[in-house]
Amino acid sequence: MTYALITPARNEEAFLEGTILSVVSQTVLPRRWVIVSDGSTDRTDEIAAAYAAKHGFIELVRMPEHRDREFGAKVRCFQAGYRRVEAMAFDIVGNLDADLTFEPDYIEFLLGKFAQFPKLGVAGTPFVEGRTSYDYKFTNIEHVSGACQLFRRSCYEEIGGYLPIKGGGIDWVAVTSARMKGWQTRTFTEKVIHHHRKMGTG
């Protein structure tokens, strides 16, 4: 299966390079990876541009500067990135935060799940922050964390993509909308993704 990635990034110079190194090391590379700088004022653009010059599948898009950091802006960045790839042929589109690292076969693992389950619309894995993660004895395994959500393209387009909700919850709304449309959604616990920016500090 083929895929595209979109990464909204605002002032992520401390973490972005780790995410880039994880993506360029994947056993299955994306058709295109659009890193959308949300008016960053640090070295985010410089780092992304340097790797885009080395890897033809990486593209940097810059959004206008603004003062606040809010969830609606993240969605507008994702939408801008999606417009850069929507004319391309691919099966899966992924929303990937700019502060993650993961194993080289991480995406290949998730692509395999989409191939295995034709009704799977949204997939991901638990994320680990430091030494902590959700305990899936108590957390709904049908929810997929917004840090890394992979959508079957037809599912993403059927739900109308992400909604720019200023107060957050965009990942929950997307996953719930997918289930309302009859898609399966699933967190697969066999792998994890590492989240490096402490939640709530953005």
Side-chain angles (χ1 to χ4, degrees):
M1 302 188 82
T2 57
Y3 70 103
L5 293 176
I6 301 169
T7 295
R10 179 169 171 82
N11 293 341
E12 295 285 8
E13 66 176 2
F15 307 109
L16 179 60
E17 189 167 30
T19 303
I20 293 175
L21 292 174
S22 291
V23 172
V24 301
S25 300
Q26 290 302 294
T27 51
V28 180
L29 293 173
R31 295 285 310 277
R32 181 68 54 83
W33 180 21
V34 185
I35 300 172
V36 185
S37 173
D38 186 18
S40 296
T41 57
D42 64 358
R43 294 181 56 251
T44 294
D45 295 16
E46 178 184 339
I47 294 166
Y51 280 95
K54 297 177 184 177
H55 302 277
F57 63 87
I58 300 177
E59 178 182 358
L60 171 65
V61 171
R62 180 171 174 83
M63 301 288 280
E65 291 186 22
H66 60 91
R67 290 188 177 185
D68 59 336
R69 183 182 184 118
E70 48 99 354
F71 293 99
K74 178 179 178 179
V75 172
R76 290 188 288 274
C77 286
F78 190 90
Q79 292 169 341
Y82 194 77
R83 288 193 291 271
R84 302 294 296 179
V85 301
E86 62 183 343
M88 300 177 66
F90 56 88
D91 304 300
I92 306 297
V93 60
N95 173 31
L96 182 71
D97 280 1
D99 52 9
L100 305 172
T101 57
F102 38 97
E103 296 176 347
D105 64 343
Y106 182 82
I107 300 293
E108 182 180 9
F109 166 78
L110 288 174
L111 294 179
K113 297 300 182 183
F114 281 103
Q116 182 179 358
F117 302 109
K119 290 299 292 179
L120 182 64
V122 191
T125 71
F127 70 88
V128 175
E129 189 176 276
R131 296 183 178 181
T132 62
S133 182
Y134 291 130
D135 186 339
Y136 281 88
K137 290 183 293 185
F138 306 104
T139 303
N140 186 356
I141 207 163
E142 291 186 320
H143 179 65
V144 181
S145 166
C148 179
Q149 289 182 325
L150 266 60
F151 293 82
R152 194 179 298 271
R153 181 177 185 172
S154 51
C155 171
Y156 177 80
E157 293 182 348
E158 185 175 355
I159 67 173
Y162 288 115
L163 298 177
I165 305 168
K166 184 176 182 179
I170 61 173
D171 54 342
W172 183 88
V173 170
V175 172
T176 303
S177 297
R179 287 206 298 274
M180 290 172 66
K181 296 285 188 180
W183 293 96
Q184 296 170 352
T185 64
R186 177 70 184 268
T187 289
F188 294 95
T189 58
E190 298 96 316
K191 287 191 176 294
V192 298
I193 197 164
H194 297 274
H195 185 254
H196 297 283
R197 178 192 289 278
K198 187 175 180 180
M199 288 183 67
T201 63

